[in-house]
Amino acid sequence: MEALLKSDYYYDLPQELIAQDPLEDRSSSRLMFLNKKTGELSHHSFKDVIEFLNPGDCLVLNNTKVIPARLIGHKEETGGTVEVLLLKRKENDQWETLVKPGKKARPGAKIVFGDGLLKAEVLDVLEEGNRLIQFTYDGIFEEVLDKLGEMPLPPYITHKLQDKNRYQTVYAKYEGSAAAPTAGLHFTPELLSQIEKKGIRLAYVTLHVGLGTFRPVKEENLTNHHMHSEFYQVTKEAADIINQTKEAGGRVICVGTTSCRTIESAAGADGKVVPGSDNTEIFIYPGYQFKVLDGLITNFHLPESTLIMLVSALAGREHVLHAYETAVENKYRFFSFGDAMIIL
């Protein structure tokens, strides 16, 4: 029987192993190899990732771009500080947001950002307490946001980010994420070019990462946990590369859990990836049968998170927890700016 309790995915992590800053050289982080069948482990540098990839394989990368989605403003009436996190763009400059403190954000409340460059009014309270907000501004929203917004770093990162670009992958292209697809942060243009030269094809897909990624699993029984919906898009070119790789006997290796969730959402029952765009609420945990994915490059995830459950669906819970305990013993760096693991 598969382990379907949240507590089955707990491990003990010393606070000091949570990486607070990105490394100077993206690709110099450490890389753990985990054999998904035997549980065997070995230790490497991320640059060695190319040695695990064979000509004819395909790497799937998520080219979403993080927007500086964290806005600090003041309530027009009282001057009280309010933090607004942009989650999902609706039409006509309306956004689904997370507002702190929530009690200050009742419908009708007005918030001002950056001396009035940007103004907002709370329209509605949505499920789980999110707020629907109407923004008004002059000019182009993205430019206003670039001026006023901060990168929405996860709550466990307490250091201020010196360079906004370090929370973006080098191939980030389409704006819309509230969080970076962090497994991709290790790649440099040079490394990607070496990988292509070796005969490995790159397929770019898009999934805009929502905050559901960081939302803790509250239900003890996993089957009761509901994932937030996230928008994804798979181009015909990406679908063709992935499908041709499978047909030719190559492996499809996803960079990050978001790329994995995208192609698994876009695949039919026959394992063929279908181009198009949609919203996905796919929750992958042990017992899930992968339709497309053969391998995964991923960071080390939070205890009891949906991400460690996804990794366990691929490599088995015991193997994964043993790998994590080994990573703790060897003082690997954890979470968004931390080290990586490749599972094949």
Side-chain angles (χ1 to χ4, degrees):
M1 181 56 196
E2 300 297 349
L4 295 179
L5 297 180
K6 177 177 82 162
S7 49
D8 290 329
Y9 297 88
Y10 179 79
Y11 67 93
D12 202 25
L13 179 69
Q15 200 68 26
E16 67 270 14
L17 294 184
I18 299 173
Q20 292 294 331
D21 302 289
L23 294 178
E24 201 54 48
D25 168 17
R26 285 174 185 261
S27 62
S28 64
S29 49
R30 291 163 79 185
L31 179 71
M32 179 187 282
F33 165 70
L34 168 60
N35 182 314
K36 64 183 181 185
K37 291 196 175 68
T38 66
E40 175 205 344
L41 301 172
S42 54
H43 305 280
H44 310 269
S45 159
F46 194 82
K47 290 185 178 75
D48 304 332
V49 73
I50 191 164
E51 292 167 22
F52 293 97
L53 308 173
N54 303 329
D57 286 345
C58 155
L59 269 191
V60 183
L61 305 111
N62 181 6
N63 61 10
T64 186
K65 194 169 193 180
V66 186
I67 56 174
R70 186 169 174 255
L71 289 160
I72 310 291
H74 299 281
K75 263 191 90 174
E76 203 169 69
E77 301 89 80
T78 62
T81 301
V82 182
E83 179 181 322
V84 175
L85 201 52
L86 304 179
L87 296 181
K88 199 178 281 181
R89 189 193 286 261
K90 307 287 190 186
E91 59 262 302
N92 308 327
D93 289 317
Q94 292 178 9
W95 282 77
E96 183 179 336
T97 66
L98 199 60
V99 179
K100 287 198 297 204
K103 59 178 184 298
K104 291 188 182 174
R106 296 195 178 90
K110 293 189 166 69
I111 306 165
V112 180
F113 306 92
D115 304 326
L117 267 180
L118 183 64
K119 292 181 177 171
E121 181 179 348
V122 179
L123 299 181
D124 198 5
V125 179
L126 307 172
E127 58 174 330
E128 294 180 344
N130 291 351
R131 302 298 199 264
L132 183 66
I133 281 187
Q134 173 76 60
F135 285 102
T136 48
Y137 53 90
D138 287 329
I140 297 167
F141 185 73
E142 283 71 19
E143 288 178 5
V144 174
L145 196 58
D146 217 36
K147 253 189 209 127
L148 301 177
E150 295 175 18
M151 279 300 183
L153 293 179
Y156 48 74
I157 292 179
T158 53
H159 292 192
K160 196 157 168 60
L161 187 62
Q162 298 309 314
D163 172 6
K164 272 186 188 175
N165 286 327
R166 291 311 307 271
Y167 194 56
Q168 302 278 20
T169 61
V170 295
Y171 46 81
K173 192 170 182 183
Y174 300 108
E175 295 193 322
S177 271
T182 53
L185 295 177
H186 304 281
F187 287 93
T188 60
E190 297 74 37
L191 185 55
L192 287 168
S193 149
Q194 287 165 3
I195 286 168
E196 280 193 294
K197 280 200 185 99
K198 188 176 170 178
I200 293 117
R201 297 178 76 183
L202 306 180
Y204 291 97
V205 298
T206 309
L207 180 135
H208 292 324
V209 189
L211 272 219
T213 302
F214 302 124
R215 197 173 277 277
V217 177
K218 295 202 173 88
E219 304 282 351
E220 180 55 20
N221 183 335
L222 302 192
T223 53
N224 296 333
H225 177 71
H226 174 67
M227 291 288 275
H228 263 67
S229 103
E230 293 168 315
F231 172 83
Y232 74 83
Q233 184 154 29
V234 178
T235 60
K236 183 177 182 314
E237 184 191 5
D240 287 349
I241 292 173
I242 295 165
N243 293 333
Q244 286 160 10
T245 299
K246 290 299 263 192
E247 280 159 25
R251 297 173 303 174
V252 172
I253 298 158
C254 283
V255 174
T257 55
T258 59
S259 307
C260 160
R261 291 176 60 242
T262 303
I263 64 168
E264 290 295 317
S265 298
D270 60 357
K272 287 253 192 309
V273 174
V274 182
S277 58
D278 203 349
N279 289 298
T280 180
E281 294 176 357
I282 190 170
F283 177 20
I284 296 175
Y285 53 85
Y288 179 86
Q289 298 297 313
F290 287 92
K291 295 182 274 193
V292 192
L293 176 100
D294 298 299
L296 184 67
I297 295 169
T298 186
N299 281 18
F300 291 90
H301 305 294
L302 279 80
E304 300 184 339
S305 63
T306 60
L307 305 176
I308 195 171
M309 293 162 192
L310 183 152
V311 174
S312 299
L314 178 63
R317 184 183 73 102
E318 282 82 6
H319 289 167
V320 168
L321 287 180
H322 174 245
Y324 273 58
E325 280 157 21
T326 306
V328 169
E329 282 162 24
N330 286 275
K331 300 210 170 351
Y332 271 68
R333 299 161 71 252
F334 278 67
F335 306 164
S336 296
F337 287 138
D339 296 316
M341 112 192 294
I342 183 166
I343 304 169
L344 290 170

